[in-house]
Each structure stands twice: as C-alpha cells, then as structure tokens.
Amino acid sequence: DYHKTMNYRADIDALRTFAVLAVVIFHFNGSLLPGGFAGVDVFFAISGYLMTGIIISGIKKDTFTIAKFYLSRAKRIIPALSVLCLLLMLYGWFKLPPLDYSALSKHVFSSLLFVSNFVYWGEAGYFDAESHHKWLLHTWSLSAEWQFYIIYPFIIIAFKKLLRDGWVGLALIALAVVSYVFSIYSSTVWPAASYFLLPSRAWEMFAGGVAYCYAINSKSKKSIAMHYTGLALIVCSYFIVSSQDLWPGYMALLPVLGACLYLSANHQGLLSRFTPSIMVWKCCYSIYLWYWPVVVYCTINYISVNIWLGLAF
C-alpha cells in the first residue's frame, strides 16, 4: 500500500524477493546459505524505510492519521496470517496429538495478538532442534514489526513537531545507535531475548528510516556505487554469518547497512529489471508465511526435501 503515498520503486520489491528467498533457502538447506536468516534483518530495514515514507509523506500531505496507519497495516498483515492459522488448526485437529495441538493453539493465539515473540522467547532459542516442531515460530518477526508499528507513528509525529527540518534523520540515527549498542550487549547477556524482542531489533527499522531521510538522486554515480555496494554487503552477509554468531549482535550491521545503502541509493539496477523477481515479490509475504509450516511438516514426518523441490512447493 505504500504505492498510494510514495513513488513506486521496483528495486525495493526486488530486494524483498531476494530477502525472502534467502530465508527460505537457509531453512531448507542451512549449509547452502549459512547466513540466509539475515534476510529477516533486511526485511526489517525495508519496513522501516517504507513506514517512515508512509508517515512522513502523509504528514506533508496532511492526510496521515494514526488510525488509518494501523488499519492499513492490519489489512496488509492479518487476513493472510489468519488463513494460515485457521488451516493449521484444522490440520492439527486431525493430525496432531493433544499436547501438540494445545501448543499450536497457544502459538496461534499469540501470533494473532502479535505477541508470539514473547512466547517463543520464553520457550527456547530460535536455532535449537525443538524449534522445528513449532509451526508458527517464524511469526515472531511479524509480532516485533507490529509492536514497532504501534509506537513508530508517535515517534515520527513528535520529531516533526519538536525538531527543525533536517533534524528528524539525525534523531533517528541517535535512536538506531542506542538500540544497536543495546543489541550488541543484550546478544551476549540475554541471547534469546535479544533475538526475539523489539528493543534489540528496533535499530534495524530505525536504520531503514534513516535511509529514507537521506535518500539521494537515483541517477548519480554515487547512487550506482551505493546500490551495488549495499547489494554486495547483503550477499556477503548471507555467506559470512551463521547461526553460531550472536544475533543480532555487531555482525547484524552487515545486512542492515547493506539494505540501507541499497534503499538510499534509489537506483533501478539489475535486480529491478529481473522479471522473475518482480513476479515473486507479489506473493513474498505469503511465501514467508507458508515456508516454515512446510519445513515443520517435513521435519516431524522425517521427510528429506530437496532444496529446489522445497522452493518450488
């Protein structure tokens, strides 16, 4: 829905495609793309960029309201998530043992209330073996995003009212730095909480907001350099980092910085002209919703799925 308030950018949709594919590939074959889970961090940066654009553009046009913002987010996220939850509950009724069905019910409830990141934080870590038996584990990121959506409009409105033009970006930089430093510390002291909870994830979305505030002319040489440098950092992160790294620790800066450079560049490069990626982005949210239940189904039924068959399915 950002198309209604901002100029359409095919490069953003292309980046979405390659972020979600990285996450899917990682969970089907972690050795092939050991840092593919960093695609979620790229998503957070994209979300911060788009939400900042929607809010600031709406304020400038005097059309922004918090209620309308919440409603648009709900319309975007909730229907497809509800369908997934309903079908999983129907499947579980016939196929899961009572204890497993009870756990699924709790996870469905927490996902629809956007508090699943708290539930999974209390249960275990993201990369442990038992995680592959939790049908809705991946919805932790939707919960963290929704919690950010609740507070972010108030932050931007306050900045716009209290700060002079040009200072909003600096204020977002300050928030991003504070949250990033906290994420480095908390990843060492409270690794599970740091992974799942908003305080140590907010900097990734704030960074996306900074990228929006400092976007440049898309036809300059600087734009081209930033575009491909950002893309290179993202790709490198998919291979350099792994589930053994504390996350989101200092290494998370690699994919997030790459995403911010890419977004700020506003350049329509090779990805934006790659037709398959534009086709996939239209259903990338549904792909993200459904890939993990497929992984869980294969795990609990001891089915070994070829990576390409898994992607196709």
Side-chain angles (χ1 to χ4, degrees), residues 68-111:
K68 186 190 298 183
F69 177 80
Y70 289 162
L71 181 60
S72 67
R73 296 300 87 216
K75 289 169 65 177
R76 171 76 175 92
I77 294 173
I78 293 176
L81 175 61
S82 299
V83 170
L84 170 65
C85 290
L86 174 62
L87 292 179
L88 285 178
M89 290 296 289
L90 289 173
Y91 168 82
W93 178 263
F94 294 103
K95 294 292 185 178
L96 296 181
L99 286 178
D100 290 348
Y101 191 67
S102 176
L104 174 62
S105 301
K106 180 179 75 170
H107 294 160
V108 163
F109 191 63
S110 64
S111 296

Side-chain angles (χ1 to χ4, degrees), residues 233-309:
L233 289 175
I234 293 170
V235 172
C236 284
S237 72
Y238 292 161
F239 292 95
I240 292 176
V241 304
S242 74
S243 58
Q244 302 305 310
D245 292 306
L246 294 174
W247 204 264
Y250 68 94
M251 287 291 286
L253 184 63
L254 197 61
V256 174
L257 177 60
C260 289
L261 287 173
Y262 181 101
L263 293 166
S264 289
N266 193 21
H267 176 69
Q268 303 306 310
L270 296 177
L271 283 186
S272 58
R273 296 192 292 271
F274 186 54
T275 303
S277 70
I278 303 302
M279 294 170 63
V280 172
W281 81 258
K282 295 180 180 180
C283 52
C284 68
Y285 175 49
S286 291
I287 291 173
Y288 184 77
L289 285 179
W290 281 96
Y291 87 91
W292 183 252
V294 173
V295 172
V296 172
Y297 179 85
C298 292
T299 300
I300 65 177
N301 289 285
Y302 304 99
I303 299 172
S304 179
V305 179
N306 176 278
I307 176 64
W308 303 115
L309 180 61

